[in-house]
Amino acid sequence: MGAIDHLGIVTLGADDAREGLLLSAEAHWNQNEADWRFFLTKGTVFGIRDGDRLIATAALLPYTSNNAWISMVLVTQNWRRRGLATKLLDACLDAAAKQGLTTWLDATPAGATVYGPLGFTPTLELRRLRFAGSTSPATSKPRPAADIHLDDLIARDHCAMGFDRGALLGELSRRPGSQLISHGGAMALVRGGRTARQIGPLFAADAGSATALIETITQSETGPILIDVVSEHDGFLKNLTNSGWTIERPFQRMRFGRATIPSAAPPFAVAGPEFG
């Protein structure tokens, strides 16, 4: 730990978005500059610099009902395993405690082994899947959800999460290229990322309608697509893998602090591990 004692924690601002993007791109994550600007303007992003270079980050994004998300825990390659991530995570937890917030995060398997001993409790599990896309032109376009307004998506999300994320979903849906899409009672948000389009959150009454919506979306896309599926929807997962989707990695959702919301039926897919 002595090697990092001289490195202080700073609070980053909107002008640091491109530096943050360099860190997430180095880790092969899908966040784009707009994602970073959202965290930097709507949340608190802590950083550590080595001279002028940003070498580590962690973000605390508050939602409603005293809940917040921790994400963007990143350390550049040659500074890893020296305690920087833990130092920044502690800063997030301290800030959350001062505000009376229950914190959540979606951890990689390696991260979960670190967060568990710190007091994080496992909740649901996620699986990230990738669809490589087609090399041929799209044959059809998904029907825009003209009868499904943003308010409907926010209401479904509030019911599933237990707290309101209207500011997040509104910002994501207004980005260039984002679409609200519905099919047979299922609905989802599709947005751009650094290397792939991303589906989520996705809500449906059953695996069949969720799968039909995914088929509608993939027919309109030629590039790669990512989706983070809640693992308990095993029928939906099986349908996707049978349709050419491949599982990339698992995530473990974890909570620090007491539960402030009642359990509810989870969505079929989440907005992403960075947002919950």
Side-chain angles (χ1 to χ4, degrees):
M1 287 296 183
I4 67 169
D5 287 345
H6 66 290
L7 298 174
I9 294 176
V10 297
T11 301
L12 304 179
D15 291 342
D16 297 305
R18 291 189 179 181
E19 281 192 284
L21 182 60
L22 289 175
L23 279 178
S24 54
E26 179 191 347
H28 306 292
W29 290 7
N30 195 45
Q31 289 82 19
N32 56 26
E33 189 172 332
D35 293 325
W36 273 100
R37 291 194 181 279
F38 187 84
F39 280 103
L40 290 162
T41 56
K42 303 299 184 183
T44 301
V45 182
F46 297 104
I48 295 175
R49 295 183 182 278
D50 177 27
D52 293 333
R53 182 191 177 201
L54 184 65
I55 60 172
T57 60
L60 178 69
L61 182 64
Y63 290 129
T64 61
S65 303
N66 297 324
N67 289 275
W69 221 261
I70 293 176
S71 59
M72 313 312 284
V73 181
L74 288 156
V75 180
T76 194
Q77 177 68 40
N78 60 346
W79 279 93
R80 292 175 189 167
R81 296 180 177 83
R82 302 195 198 186
L84 293 182
T86 300
K87 186 173 182 176
L88 288 167
L89 182 67
D90 287 342
C92 289
L93 292 176
D94 287 345
K98 290 174 182 176
Q99 300 173 61
L101 301 174
T102 291
T103 52
W104 303 73
L105 55 76
D106 290 331
T108 63
T113 63
V114 174
Y115 302 136
L118 296 177
F120 281 86
T121 302
T123 58
L124 56 80
E125 293 184 358
L126 307 172
R127 294 290 182 272
R128 166 158 288 190
L129 290 89
R130 175 181 288 268
F131 186 76
S134 171
T135 56
S136 59
T139 57
S140 63
K141 288 187 177 296
R143 178 173 63 86
D147 56 339
I148 303 294
H149 298 290
L150 175 61
D151 287 346
D152 297 315
L153 184 76
I154 291 172
R156 293 282 293 272
D157 186 75
H158 192 166
C159 181
M161 296 294 293
F163 46 86
D164 181 76
R165 300 194 299 173
L168 168 67
L169 298 178
E171 200 275 343
L172 294 179
S173 68
R174 288 189 292 269
R175 291 181 185 176
S178 291
Q179 290 180 294
L180 285 176
I181 297 171
S182 67
H183 183 91
M187 67 174 73
L189 173 64
V190 185
R191 60 186 174 90
R194 187 182 65 85
T195 63
R197 298 274 282 169
Q198 188 137 1
I199 301 172
L202 187 156
F203 304 100
D206 52 57
S209 57
T211 303
L213 177 58
I214 293 297
E215 290 173 351
T216 299
I217 294 171
T218 56
Q219 288 168 9
S220 73
E221 302 282 346
T222 57
I225 315 171
L226 295 175
I227 187 170
D228 296 300
V229 175
V230 176
S231 295
E232 69 181 65
H233 297 299
D234 51 355
F236 179 50
L237 267 172
K238 183 176 181 180
N239 290 344
L240 292 184
T241 55
N242 287 342
S243 300
W245 290 75
T246 57
I247 296 177
E248 279 198 341
R249 65 172 64 181
F251 290 100
Q252 175 67 64
R253 181 156 294 181
M254 309 182 83
R255 185 189 73 246
F256 187 90
R258 65 184 183 85
T260 60
I261 53 177
S263 12
F268 276 77
V270 303
E274 67 271 56
F275 295 118

